[in-house]
Amino acid sequence: MRRWIEAIVFWGLFALIWEYGVALFGVRSYLMPPLSKVISAGWEQRELIVSESWVTLVEVLVGFTAAVFGGVLLGVAIHFSDFAKRTLYPFITALQSMPKIALAPLMIVWFGYGFASKIASTFLFAFFPLVIASLGGLSGISANLDEHFRALGASRWDTFIRLQLPSALPSFVDGIKIAMPLAVIGAIVGEFIGSENGLGHLMTLATANAQTDLMFAAILVITFLASILYWIVEVMSRAVWWRGKSV
């Protein structure tokens, strides 16, 4: 109850500061509209916002799912293969060092303005943290436990399933929690660069038409969407109950 009260009080104060701070400091509405005007604009365009939100949500979920599978497979491959560690890992590291926004126009060139380029942008943003989390979790296995499994004559597959995979799950869960907001950012960036729908496209249109209130409404929806997805990941991560426990 205390946590709920603290959260409600905090966001209530935030809303009041936003609503009355704009008038208090004489901020022009086209620069920073009051919260009531933002909510009103969002409500007037609610059907459009809902439809565009579904587009962005599908892009995030598909791209994020692809990044999860790709990141896990590559992390496992790098962990077990010295060749992959010498070749793929430096390549992925170099790719991560590049600014993602600079690569987003290339996604348009390769995949066009449709759904595929947004999936590629989402995948690009979320992929690297999942690779690092998978690799870090597999590499952080206790040496004593690994020696114990070898002494028992466990096969490499049994060691992976019964020891390495459960031990790597906490690190992987943390990687998912980092990658999920990045996936939302990737989808929005892809929509900014070139798209015909989605919340990023809606923000671009609102900016071009000087509808700052609608643009802020889209930002709030994006923030809410990212928060809900992160909360879902947080709830699911509780199944990995041995997180934070050492053996």
Side-chain angles (χ1 to χ4, degrees), residues 27-223:
V27 181
R28 303 282 186 178
S29 60
Y30 65 87
L31 295 176
M32 183 73 175
L35 181 59
S36 58
K37 191 173 182 180
V38 172
I39 296 175
S40 176
W43 179 254
E44 292 174 0
Q45 300 291 335
R46 58 187 179 278
E47 294 183 0
L48 177 62
I49 290 178
V50 170
S51 63
E52 303 293 11
S53 298
W54 276 114
V55 174
T56 301
L57 178 61
V58 172
E59 293 170 353
V60 170
L61 293 180
V62 174
F64 179 75
T65 302
V68 168
F69 283 101
V72 171
L73 291 177
L74 186 58
V76 172
I78 293 174
H79 176 72
F80 285 107
S81 172
D82 292 334
F83 175 77
K85 191 174 297 184
R86 292 192 301 267
T87 56
L88 290 177
Y89 187 62
F91 174 76
I92 296 299
T93 304
L95 184 65
Q96 173 63 17
S97 65
M98 299 179 185
K100 302 300 182 300
I101 296 179
L103 294 176
L106 191 60
M107 301 296 103
I108 302 297
V109 174
W110 285 350
F111 302 105
Y113 286 90
F115 187 69
S117 61
K118 313 309 174 294
I119 299 303
S121 178
T122 304
F123 177 90
L124 189 65
F125 272 73
F127 178 67
F128 187 75
L130 294 167
V131 175
I132 296 302
S134 301
L135 185 59
L138 292 172
S139 302
I141 306 299
S142 172
N144 294 332
L145 289 176
D146 189 50
E147 292 176 0
H148 181 66
F149 268 69
R150 291 183 181 181
L152 292 174
S155 66
R156 195 171 186 179
W157 175 253
D158 286 335
T159 302
F160 174 72
I161 293 297
R162 298 177 182 275
L163 173 63
Q164 294 177 330
L165 185 60
S167 298
L169 277 178
S171 178
F172 178 65
V173 165
D174 292 337
I176 288 181
K177 293 171 68 174
I178 295 173
M180 176 54 79
L182 293 177
V184 177
I185 295 173
I188 298 300
V189 168
E191 293 171 353
F192 276 157
I193 300 300
S195 67
E196 298 178 352
N197 42 35
L199 290 173
H201 176 68
L202 178 61
M203 290 178 62
T204 303
L205 291 180
T207 303
N209 296 324
Q211 295 177 293
T212 311
D213 49 359
L214 181 59
M215 183 180 65
F216 271 95
I219 292 175
L220 289 180
V221 173
I222 293 170
T223 304

